[in-house]
Structures are given as C-alpha cells and as structure tokens.
Amino acid sequence: MSAHRPLSLGTASAAPGEIAYGWYTVADLPTGHLERLPVVIARGREPGPTLWLTANIHGDEVTGTAVVHDVVNPALLPDLRGTVVALPSLNPAGLHTRRRKPYLDPRDPNRLFPGHEPPGAELVDQPRAHPGVTEMGLAALFAELRASADLYIDLHCYGLQAASFIIRDHILFHDEAERPALADLLARLDALCRFSGLPVVHEVSAARYVARSLHRSTSGAALNFARIPAITVELGLIGGVDPDALAAGTTAVRNILKGNAMLPGPLEPIRSVPQPAVDFPTVRDSTPRARTSGVIRYHVIPGQVFRAGELLATLTDLHGRPLADGELRAEADGWVLALARGAICYQGQAALHVATRHAAPELERFPGA
C-alpha cells in the first residue's frame, strides 16, 4: 500500500483528498522547448494502492486518452481510496503529428523501456544503439513508476477495425529458483485481468516476445523488470475515439479500481463491445497469410468467434473474379481481434489479427536462459 509514499510526479503533487495537474519533462529540445508529458494525480483521503494509468504511447491511438479524462477527474475523489497517477499521453510528439512514433526518435517508443536483455545479447556483432533522447526520458519515467506503482494499466488501440481486449504479457524468469517468488505476481496479474471484464488474450510465444522487444514495452517492463502487475488494454480503432471502446475502457478501469478496493461497488458488465464466448485460453497471432495478392473481402467482423477451417476472407482480382488460392480459412479455433487490411492484401501478408487456442505456461524462462 502507498499511504506514506511520495505522491508527486514532475510538477504535480497531491495531498489526501486532492487532484493535481502538472507536467513531467522527458527531453530538452534544440528549439528551447520541452518535450513534457501531462500528469494527473488523484489521491483519496483514505490510504490504498497506487495505480498508474497511461495512454497514447503510440501517437495515433487516442481512445485511451479519453478514458483517462473520463476516469481521472474531480468526480473520482469522494469515493477513492489510494492514488491514481495518470498520464493521458506518453507521446505528445506523436499525438501532435498523428503518427505512431515520435518525431524525436524513429523507433517504436513502446519498445524502449528498461528490460532484461536476452542472454548473449552483448555478443551480437552489431553493438546495441546508444540510448536516444526518448529512451533516456522513458527510463527516468519508468524509475518513478517502479518506485510508486502497485498496479499498472496502459491503454492502446489496435487497428482500423478492431475489438477491445486485454493483452496479457508473459511472466519470464532467468533462474528456476525465482519461480516460487513469482506465484504472488501471477495471482495478482490473474486478478487484474479478471476484474477488468474484458476478454483476455495471451501475448505471443516467449521467443517471439523477446525477439520483438515486447519485454521492453510498458507492461512488459513493469511485469518482468519491476515485477508490478501490469496489463495492456486494447481499445478498438486507431486514429480517432471509438465511443463503444471508450465506454468499455472506462468501465474496465473502474472495475479494476473496484476489484482492488480503491472504489466501492460491484464490478460492472461490459456490453458496449463484443465478448467472444470461447471456453479455451487464447494467444495473439496474425493469420492466415495470403497466398496470392488481390482485393480482399472479409466474411467476419472483430469479436467474431470462428472454428478451424471456416472461411474468413476471399481475394479477387480487380475485376472481382475469384483468384486461385484466394480463399483464406482459419488455421485453428479462435476469434477475430482485428481486420488487418483495407481493400488490398499482398501475397505473404497477414489478413487478420486473431486470438487462437493457447497452451503455453503462465511462467516461462527467458529464451536462452
């Protein structure tokens, strides 16, 4: 619990029963301006956990920002126990240009948080790039999170046509002796997912997870470096505020506050977005892939459940004539996370983002450990 922790971040500082607004500086710019992040701290009169809530680390994913605004405001204070530290945008530079990445750095900012490097990484022929201004600024912010957070939620959006759901990261360890100590973290992660009321999708295989630097994402770093229960919440379309996803995200965050005794009242069902009825755990994947190039026509929508072999999409030529190898069928049972293409799909591209049957362990060694 966080009753005696400092409740300040950047220029924002809240006493019990207060909400405070301020800025956290992540970089000095050559123009003399500052790259700074908006901060809102809501502190209840009664002690309780500290939950960090962030959004918009990808500049074109904006529904999460609206969720922060709708949850963390003066109306939250009367019933709040503990503290919510909220950053409505982790990437104002990307928000300003309506792009995923900030103009300060060409890399994905959600791969730049501190994290354990895979064994042998120092032996790679090409040395790791020197930390850039964004990476150094996020490292400093992460140190603040690590020092004060009991729980962490990061809000994202997923695609042009997409469902709303939780991505659950792997809990990875280097030594088998660590496993018993991770049981509590695993139980708290289970509860975080369960309280939300959204469907849960496991992250990609551990090998792909580390190879794609997902252990250095916001939630990956919090979970595997700081050992803080953390989830990524995906909220529908990219590029604008999705009203149905906004309602779902707002309810999910409030449910997590209620589940952790930070707000009173029962958990609320989420009805504004699809709740796929599957009786098996799932993993995130991008499949099937097109065997030819063509105009794509989808036969499913985000949130829809499918069975192995079911027709998901077809490809035609520009005249509308069916193509050989133009039928794209499900490779396993699952449900649709997002439609990956607009009108055109090229050979070798994934046509859909899906959640398919998952059997990986909840705790795993770092690949190569």
Side-chain angles (χ1 to χ4, degrees), residues 25-67:
T25 299
V26 292
D28 296 317
L29 302 181
T31 56
H33 300 87
L34 300 175
E35 178 66 5
R36 58 184 191 168
L37 311 180
V39 178
V40 186
I41 301 176
R43 186 177 180 187
R45 293 190 179 279
E46 298 296 325
T50 294
L51 180 143
W52 275 54
L53 177 65
T54 61
N56 191 230
I57 194 166
H58 294 136
D60 55 355
E61 300 178 13
V62 295
T63 296
T65 299
V67 169

mmCIF file of all heavy atoms in Angstrom, residues 25-67:
data_model
loop_
_atom_site.group_PDB
_atom_site.id
_atom_site.type_symbol
_atom_site.label_atom_id
_atom_site.label_comp_id
_atom_site.label_asym_id
_atom_site.label_seq_id
_atom_site.Cartn_x
_atom_site.Cartn_y
_atom_site.Cartn_z
ATOM 1 N N THR A 25 8.796 16.421 -17.525
ATOM 2 C CA THR A 25 9.683 16.694 -18.655
ATOM 3 C C THR A 25 10.513 15.461 -18.985
ATOM 4 O O THR A 25 11.171 14.893 -18.097
ATOM 5 C CB THR A 25 10.602 17.879 -18.351
ATOM 6 O OG1 THR A 25 9.807 19.047 -18.118
ATOM 7 C CG2 THR A 25 11.558 18.143 -19.516
ATOM 8 N N VAL A 26 10.478 15.044 -20.252
ATOM 9 C CA VAL A 26 11.263 13.894 -20.688
ATOM 10 C C VAL A 26 12.442 14.288 -21.577
ATOM 11 O O VAL A 26 13.358 13.487 -21.763
ATOM 12 C CB VAL A 26 10.399 12.845 -21.425
ATOM 13 C CG1 VAL A 26 9.423 12.193 -20.471
ATOM 14 C CG2 VAL A 26 9.661 13.451 -22.607
ATOM 15 N N ALA A 27 12.445 15.513 -22.134
ATOM 16 C CA ALA A 27 13.549 15.899 -23.016
ATOM 17 C C ALA A 27 13.581 17.416 -23.197
ATOM 18 O O ALA A 27 12.533 18.077 -23.248
ATOM 19 C CB ALA A 27 13.421 15.228 -24.382
ATOM 20 N N ASP A 28 14.800 17.947 -23.305
ATOM 21 C CA ASP A 28 15.013 19.325 -23.745
ATOM 22 C C ASP A 28 15.196 19.303 -25.261
ATOM 23 O O ASP A 28 15.993 18.513 -25.782
ATOM 24 C CB ASP A 28 16.262 19.928 -23.088
ATOM 25 C CG ASP A 28 16.112 20.046 -21.585
ATOM 26 O OD1 ASP A 28 15.041 20.467 -21.130
ATOM 27 O OD2 ASP A 28 17.074 19.714 -20.878
ATOM 28 N N LEU A 29 14.480 20.160 -25.971
ATOM 29 C CA LEU A 29 14.535 20.171 -27.424
ATOM 30 C C LEU A 29 15.504 21.246 -27.928
ATOM 31 O O LEU A 29 15.708 22.266 -27.247
ATOM 32 C CB LEU A 29 13.140 20.409 -27.995
ATOM 33 C CG LEU A 29 12.072 19.389 -27.564
ATOM 34 C CD1 LEU A 29 10.734 19.721 -28.209
ATOM 35 C CD2 LEU A 29 12.495 17.971 -27.915
ATOM 36 N N PRO A 30 16.094 21.049 -29.105
ATOM 37 C CA PRO A 30 17.059 22.024 -29.626
ATOM 38 C C PRO A 30 16.465 23.419 -29.826
ATOM 39 O O PRO A 30 17.201 24.410 -29.856
ATOM 40 C CB PRO A 30 17.476 21.425 -30.979
ATOM 41 C CG PRO A 30 17.170 19.978 -30.874
ATOM 42 C CD PRO A 30 15.979 19.869 -29.979
ATOM 43 N N THR A 31 15.158 23.498 -29.975
ATOM 44 C CA THR A 31 14.487 24.785 -30.184
ATOM 45 C C THR A 31 14.309 25.581 -28.897
ATOM 46 O O THR A 31 13.795 26.699 -28.921
ATOM 47 C CB THR A 31 13.104 24.548 -30.803
ATOM 48 O OG1 THR A 31 12.375 23.663 -29.936
ATOM 49 C CG2 THR A 31 13.235 23.921 -32.179
ATOM 50 N N GLY A 32 14.687 24.999 -27.768
ATOM 51 C CA GLY A 32 14.462 25.648 -26.485
ATOM 52 C C GLY A 32 13.171 25.235 -25.822
ATOM 53 O O GLY A 32 12.888 25.636 -24.686
ATOM 54 N N HIS A 33 12.358 24.430 -26.515
ATOM 55 C CA HIS A 33 11.117 23.922 -25.946
ATOM 56 C C HIS A 33 11.388 22.649 -25.141
ATOM 57 O O HIS A 33 12.491 22.094 -25.177
ATOM 58 C CB HIS A 33 10.105 23.627 -27.049
ATOM 59 C CG HIS A 33 9.736 24.818 -27.859
ATOM 60 N ND1 HIS A 33 10.453 25.207 -28.963
ATOM 61 C CD2 HIS A 33 8.732 25.717 -27.715
ATOM 62 C CE1 HIS A 33 9.908 26.300 -29.488
ATOM 63 N NE2 HIS A 33 8.869 26.629 -28.750
ATOM 64 N N LEU A 34 10.371 22.191 -24.436
ATOM 65 C CA LEU A 34 10.462 20.965 -23.655
ATOM 66 C C LEU A 34 9.503 19.928 -24.216
ATOM 67 O O LEU A 34 8.388 20.263 -24.625
ATOM 68 C CB LEU A 34 10.101 21.229 -22.188
ATOM 69 C CG LEU A 34 10.966 22.231 -21.432
ATOM 70 C CD1 LEU A 34 10.381 22.450 -20.033
ATOM 71 C CD2 LEU A 34 12.410 21.753 -21.340
ATOM 72 N N GLU A 35 9.935 18.668 -24.255
ATOM 73 C CA GLU A 35 9.014 17.560 -24.505
ATOM 74 C C GLU A 35 8.542 17.099 -23.125
ATOM 75 O O GLU A 35 9.325 16.554 -22.333
ATOM 76 C CB GLU A 35 9.701 16.431 -25.260
ATOM 77 C CG GLU A 35 8.815 15.227 -25.514
ATOM 78 C CD GLU A 35 7.648 15.505 -26.465
ATOM 79 O OE1 GLU A 35 7.552 16.622 -27.017
ATOM 80 O OE2 GLU A 35 6.817 14.611 -26.650
ATOM 81 N N ARG A 36 7.289 17.342 -22.833
ATOM 82 C CA ARG A 36 6.795 17.055 -21.493
ATOM 83 C C ARG A 36 5.470 16.308 -21.590
ATOM 84 O O ARG A 36 4.717 16.449 -22.558
ATOM 85 C CB ARG A 36 6.643 18.335 -20.686
ATOM 86 C CG ARG A 36 5.725 19.374 -21.301
ATOM 87 C CD ARG A 36 5.709 20.659 -20.487
ATOM 88 N NE ARG A 36 4.631 21.535 -20.938
ATOM 89 C CZ ARG A 36 4.225 22.612 -20.281
ATOM 90 N NH1 ARG A 36 4.803 22.944 -19.125
ATOM 91 N NH2 ARG A 36 3.236 23.355 -20.749
ATOM 92 N N LEU A 37 5.204 15.506 -20.573
ATOM 93 C CA LEU A 37 4.022 14.657 -20.528
ATOM 94 C C LEU A 37 3.020 15.233 -19.528
ATOM 95 O O LEU A 37 3.398 15.660 -18.430
ATOM 96 C CB LEU A 37 4.396 13.241 -20.094
ATOM 97 C CG LEU A 37 5.568 12.586 -20.826
ATOM 98 C CD1 LEU A 37 5.797 11.184 -20.275
ATOM 99 C CD2 LEU A 37 5.346 12.554 -22.322
ATOM 100 N N PRO A 38 1.719 15.222 -19.854
ATOM 101 C CA PRO A 38 0.706 15.684 -18.905
ATOM 102 C C PRO A 38 0.546 14.675 -17.769
ATOM 103 O O PRO A 38 0.557 13.462 -17.995
ATOM 104 C CB PRO A 38 -0.560 15.768 -19.747
ATOM 105 C CG PRO A 38 -0.345 14.759 -20.826
ATOM 106 C CD PRO A 38 1.132 14.755 -21.123
ATOM 107 N N VAL A 39 0.406 15.173 -16.565
ATOM 108 C CA VAL A 39 0.263 14.324 -15.379
ATOM 109 C C VAL A 39 -0.985 14.747 -14.605
ATOM 110 O O VAL A 39 -1.231 15.940 -14.411
ATOM 111 C CB VAL A 39 1.494 14.448 -14.456
ATOM 112 C CG1 VAL A 39 1.315 13.594 -13.197
ATOM 113 C CG2 VAL A 39 2.770 14.070 -15.186
ATOM 114 N N VAL A 40 -1.766 13.757 -14.184
ATOM 115 C CA VAL A 40 -2.890 13.991 -13.286
ATOM 116 C C VAL A 40 -2.749 13.010 -12.122
ATOM 117 O O VAL A 40 -2.625 11.804 -12.338
ATOM 118 C CB VAL A 40 -4.253 13.765 -13.977
ATOM 119 C CG1 VAL A 40 -5.395 14.175 -13.039
ATOM 120 C CG2 VAL A 40 -4.337 14.518 -15.292
ATOM 121 N N ILE A 41 -2.745 13.530 -10.899
ATOM 122 C CA ILE A 41 -2.680 12.673 -9.712
ATOM 123 C C ILE A 41 -3.946 12.882 -8.898
ATOM 124 O O ILE A 41 -4.259 14.004 -8.495
ATOM 125 C CB ILE A 41 -1.451 12.993 -8.845
ATOM 126 C CG1 ILE A 41 -0.157 12.803 -9.632
ATOM 127 C CG2 ILE A 41 -1.437 12.100 -7.596
ATOM 128 C CD1 ILE A 41 1.094 13.189 -8.863
ATOM 129 N N ALA A 42 -4.686 11.810 -8.692
ATOM 130 C CA ALA A 42 -5.879 11.839 -7.844
ATOM 131 C C ALA A 42 -5.583 11.025 -6.598
ATOM 132 O O ALA A 42 -5.246 9.841 -6.690
ATOM 133 C CB ALA A 42 -7.086 11.269 -8.581
ATOM 134 N N ARG A 43 -5.703 11.657 -5.438
ATOM 135 C CA ARG A 43 -5.359 10.988 -4.183
ATOM 136 C C ARG A 43 -6.566 10.964 -3.260
ATOM 137 O O ARG A 43 -7.135 12.010 -2.918
ATOM 138 C CB ARG A 43 -4.190 11.721 -3.506
ATOM 139 C CG ARG A 43 -3.668 11.021 -2.269
ATOM 140 C CD ARG A 43 -2.473 11.749 -1.700
ATOM 141 N NE ARG A 43 -1.971 11.093 -0.509
ATOM 142 C CZ ARG A 43 -1.018 11.583 0.281
ATOM 143 N NH1 ARG A 43 -0.457 12.748 -0.013
ATOM 144 N NH2 ARG A 43 -0.623 10.916 1.342
ATOM 145 N N GLY A 44 -6.997 9.769 -2.884
ATOM 146 C CA GLY A 44 -8.114 9.646 -1.960
ATOM 147 C C GLY A 44 -7.727 10.046 -0.551
ATOM 148 O O GLY A 44 -6.547 10.130 -0.206
ATOM 149 N N ARG A 45 -8.750 10.276 0.271
ATOM 150 C CA ARG A 45 -8.474 10.638 1.668
ATOM 151 C C ARG A 45 -7.996 9.436 2.477
ATOM 152 O O ARG A 45 -7.267 9.585 3.454
ATOM 153 C CB ARG A 45 -9.729 11.236 2.307
ATOM 154 C CG ARG A 45 -10.107 12.580 1.708
ATOM 155 C CD ARG A 45 -11.203 13.269 2.503
ATOM 156 N NE ARG A 45 -11.537 14.564 1.916
ATOM 157 C CZ ARG A 45 -10.841 15.684 2.113
ATOM 158 N NH1 ARG A 45 -9.779 15.665 2.903
ATOM 159 N NH2 ARG A 45 -11.213 16.805 1.549
ATOM 160 N N GLU A 46 -8.426 8.242 2.054
ATOM 161 C CA GLU A 46 -8.032 7.027 2.755
ATOM 162 C C GLU A 46 -6.870 6.363 2.018
ATOM 163 O O GLU A 46 -6.792 6.411 0.788
ATOM 164 C CB GLU A 46 -9.202 6.053 2.841
ATOM 165 C CG GLU A 46 -10.396 6.581 3.608
ATOM 166 C CD GLU A 46 -10.077 6.841 5.067
ATOM 167 O OE1 GLU A 46 -9.272 6.059 5.630
ATOM 168 O OE2 GLU A 46 -10.613 7.801 5.628
ATOM 169 N N PRO A 47 -5.949 5.731 2.767
ATOM 170 C CA PRO A 47 -4.821 5.060 2.108
ATOM 171 C C PRO A 47 -5.269 3.848 1.311
ATOM 172 O O PRO A 47 -6.317 3.248 1.580
ATOM 173 C CB PRO A 47 -3.920 4.659 3.277
ATOM 174 C CG PRO A 47 -4.838 4.559 4.453
ATOM 175 C CD PRO A 47 -5.897 5.606 4.229
ATOM 176 N N GLY A 48 -4.475 3.481 0.332
ATOM 177 C CA GLY A 48 -4.762 2.326 -0.513
ATOM 178 C C GLY A 48 -3.669 2.177 -1.548
ATOM 179 O O GLY A 48 -2.636 2.854 -1.494
ATOM 180 N N PRO A 49 -3.861 1.305 -2.511
ATOM 181 C CA PRO A 49 -2.833 1.075 -3.531
ATOM 182 C C PRO A 49 -2.628 2.306 -4.418
ATOM 183 O O PRO A 49 -3.458 3.215 -4.461
ATOM 184 C CB PRO A 49 -3.409 -0.088 -4.359
ATOM 185 C CG PRO A 49 -4.483 -0.682 -3.512
ATOM 186 C CD PRO A 49 -5.017 0.423 -2.664
ATOM 187 N N THR A 50 -1.511 2.300 -5.119
ATOM 188 C CA THR A 50 -1.244 3.302 -6.149
ATOM 189 C C THR A 50 -1.318 2.625 -7.508
ATOM 190 O O THR A 50 -0.577 1.677 -7.778
ATOM 191 C CB THR A 50 0.135 3.954 -5.966
ATOM 192 O OG1 THR A 50 0.140 4.715 -4.750
ATOM 193 C CG2 THR A 50 0.465 4.875 -7.133
ATOM 194 N N LEU A 51 -2.243 3.090 -8.335
ATOM 195 C CA LEU A 51 -2.408 2.569 -9.687
ATOM 196 C C LEU A 51 -1.921 3.612 -10.682
ATOM 197 O O LEU A 51 -2.344 4.770 -10.633
ATOM 198 C CB LEU A 51 -3.870 2.224 -9.961
ATOM 199 C CG LEU A 51 -4.172 1.660 -11.353
ATOM 200 C CD1 LEU A 51 -5.249 0.583 -11.260
ATOM 201 C CD2 LEU A 51 -4.625 2.750 -12.328
ATOM 202 N N TRP A 52 -1.014 3.209 -11.561
ATOM 203 C CA TRP A 52 -0.603 4.058 -12.668
ATOM 204 C C TRP A 52 -1.457 3.735 -13.884
ATOM 205 O O TRP A 52 -1.692 2.550 -14.199
ATOM 206 C CB TRP A 52 0.872 3.835 -12.998
ATOM 207 C CG TRP A 52 1.826 4.653 -12.167
ATOM 208 C CD1 TRP A 52 1.891 4.709 -10.811
ATOM 209 C CD2 TRP A 52 2.864 5.516 -12.656
ATOM 210 N NE1 TRP A 52 2.907 5.549 -10.407
ATOM 211 C CE2 TRP A 52 3.520 6.056 -11.528
ATOM 212 C CE3 TRP A 52 3.310 5.861 -13.937
ATOM 213 C CZ2 TRP A 52 4.591 6.942 -11.648
ATOM 214 C CZ3 TRP A 52 4.376 6.737 -14.052
ATOM 215 C CH2 TRP A 52 5.010 7.283 -12.924
ATOM 216 N N LEU A 53 -1.920 4.784 -14.560
ATOM 217 C CA LEU A 53 -2.779 4.649 -15.735
ATOM 218 C C LEU A 53 -2.213 5.539 -16.836
ATOM 219 O O LEU A 53 -2.141 6.766 -16.666
ATOM 220 C CB LEU A 53 -4.210 5.076 -15.382
ATOM 221 C CG LEU A 53 -5.240 5.071 -16.498
ATOM 222 C CD1 LEU A 53 -5.497 3.656 -17.006
ATOM 223 C CD2 LEU A 53 -6.539 5.710 -16.022
ATOM 224 N N THR A 54 -1.797 4.934 -17.955
ATOM 225 C CA THR A 54 -1.186 5.707 -19.033
ATOM 226 C C THR A 54 -1.873 5.404 -20.359
ATOM 227 O O THR A 54 -2.545 4.384 -20.522
ATOM 228 C CB THR A 54 0.316 5.409 -19.151
ATOM 229 O OG1 THR A 54 0.507 4.015 -19.439
ATOM 230 C CG2 THR A 54 1.052 5.761 -17.869
ATOM 231 N N ALA A 55 -1.673 6.303 -21.325
ATOM 232 C CA ALA A 55 -2.289 6.148 -22.641
ATOM 233 C C ALA A 55 -1.430 6.821 -23.699
ATOM 234 O O ALA A 55 -0.496 7.571 -23.376
ATOM 235 C CB ALA A 55 -3.696 6.753 -22.643
ATOM 236 N N ASN A 56 -1.732 6.529 -24.982
ATOM 237 C CA ASN A 56 -1.210 7.268 -26.133
ATOM 238 C C ASN A 56 0.299 7.185 -26.279
ATOM 239 O O ASN A 56 0.932 8.100 -26.774
ATOM 240 C CB ASN A 56 -1.670 8.739 -26.036
ATOM 241 C CG ASN A 56 -1.423 9.539 -27.300
ATOM 242 O OD1 ASN A 56 -0.863 10.623 -27.209
ATOM 243 N ND2 ASN A 56 -1.829 9.035 -28.448
ATOM 244 N N ILE A 57 0.920 6.041 -25.899
ATOM 245 C CA ILE A 57 2.340 5.912 -26.199
ATOM 246 C C ILE A 57 2.557 5.810 -27.701
ATOM 247 O O ILE A 57 3.620 6.141 -28.208
ATOM 248 C CB ILE A 57 2.975 4.730 -25.450
ATOM 249 C CG1 ILE A 57 4.504 4.848 -25.525
ATOM 250 C CG2 ILE A 57 2.491 3.383 -26.007
ATOM 251 C CD1 ILE A 57 5.251 3.966 -24.592
ATOM 252 N N HIS A 58 1.555 5.351 -28.424
ATOM 253 C CA HIS A 58 1.539 5.452 -29.881
ATOM 254 C C HIS A 58 0.643 6.637 -30.236
ATOM 255 O O HIS A 58 -0.534 6.659 -29.865
ATOM 256 C CB HIS A 58 1.036 4.155 -30.505
ATOM 257 C CG HIS A 58 1.954 2.998 -30.269
ATOM 258 N ND1 HIS A 58 1.508 1.753 -29.892
ATOM 259 C CD2 HIS A 58 3.310 2.919 -30.347
ATOM 260 C CE1 HIS A 58 2.554 0.948 -29.742
ATOM 261 N NE2 HIS A 58 3.646 1.626 -30.012
ATOM 262 N N GLY A 59 1.199 7.602 -30.941
ATOM 263 C CA GLY A 59 0.549 8.893 -31.106
ATOM 264 C C GLY A 59 -0.785 8.881 -31.812
ATOM 265 O O GLY A 59 -1.579 9.818 -31.656
ATOM 266 N N ASP A 60 -1.066 7.832 -32.601
ATOM 267 C CA ASP A 60 -2.341 7.759 -33.316
ATOM 268 C C ASP A 60 -3.365 6.898 -32.587
ATOM 269 O O ASP A 60 -4.435 6.609 -33.130
ATOM 270 C CB ASP A 60 -2.130 7.239 -34.742
ATOM 271 C CG ASP A 60 -1.398 5.894 -34.792
ATOM 272 O OD1 ASP A 60 -0.965 5.394 -33.734
ATOM 273 O OD2 ASP A 60 -1.246 5.350 -35.901
ATOM 274 N N GLU A 61 -3.095 6.505 -31.353
ATOM 275 C CA GLU A 61 -4.015 5.694 -30.555
ATOM 276 C C GLU A 61 -4.576 6.577 -29.438
ATOM 277 O O GLU A 61 -3.917 6.810 -28.431
ATOM 278 C CB GLU A 61 -3.288 4.468 -29.999
ATOM 279 C CG GLU A 61 -2.727 3.575 -31.109
ATOM 280 C CD GLU A 61 -1.948 2.375 -30.602
ATOM 281 O OE1 GLU A 61 -2.037 2.076 -29.388
ATOM 282 O OE2 GLU A 61 -1.247 1.745 -31.411
ATOM 283 N N VAL A 62 -5.798 7.072 -29.638
ATOM 284 C CA VAL A 62 -6.275 8.181 -28.805
ATOM 285 C C VAL A 62 -7.463 7.862 -27.903
ATOM 286 O O VAL A 62 -7.780 8.660 -27.015
ATOM 287 C CB VAL A 62 -6.623 9.397 -29.697
ATOM 288 C CG1 VAL A 62 -5.370 9.937 -30.367
ATOM 289 C CG2 VAL A 62 -7.669 9.043 -30.749
ATOM 290 N N THR A 63 -8.122 6.724 -28.082
ATOM 291 C CA THR A 63 -9.271 6.425 -27.223
ATOM 292 C C THR A 63 -8.854 6.337 -25.753
ATOM 293 O O THR A 63 -9.600 6.754 -24.852
ATOM 294 C CB THR A 63 -9.959 5.125 -27.667
ATOM 295 O OG1 THR A 63 -10.489 5.308 -28.984
ATOM 296 C CG2 THR A 63 -11.101 4.746 -26.743
ATOM 297 N N GLY A 64 -7.650 5.797 -25.490
ATOM 298 C CA GLY A 64 -7.174 5.701 -24.115
ATOM 299 C C GLY A 64 -7.045 7.046 -23.430
ATOM 300 O O GLY A 64 -7.283 7.166 -22.219
ATOM 301 N N THR A 65 -6.666 8.074 -24.184
ATOM 302 C CA THR A 65 -6.581 9.419 -23.611
ATOM 303 C C THR A 65 -7.955 9.854 -23.105
ATOM 304 O O THR A 65 -8.077 10.417 -22.011
ATOM 305 C CB THR A 65 -6.050 10.411 -24.661
ATOM 306 O OG1 THR A 65 -4.736 10.007 -25.060
ATOM 307 C CG2 THR A 65 -5.998 11.827 -24.112
ATOM 308 N N ALA A 66 -8.988 9.586 -23.895
ATOM 309 C CA ALA A 66 -10.345 9.927 -23.470
ATOM 310 C C ALA A 66 -10.768 9.121 -22.238
ATOM 311 O O ALA A 66 -11.478 9.637 -21.365
ATOM 312 C CB ALA A 66 -11.319 9.704 -24.623
ATOM 313 N N VAL A 67 -10.328 7.856 -22.147
ATOM 314 C CA VAL A 67 -10.622 7.047 -20.962
ATOM 315 C C VAL A 67 -10.004 7.700 -19.716
ATOM 316 O O VAL A 67 -10.672 7.831 -18.672
ATOM 317 C CB VAL A 67 -10.093 5.613 -21.129
ATOM 318 C CG1 VAL A 67 -10.168 4.852 -19.802
ATOM 319 C CG2 VAL A 67 -10.878 4.867 -22.200
#
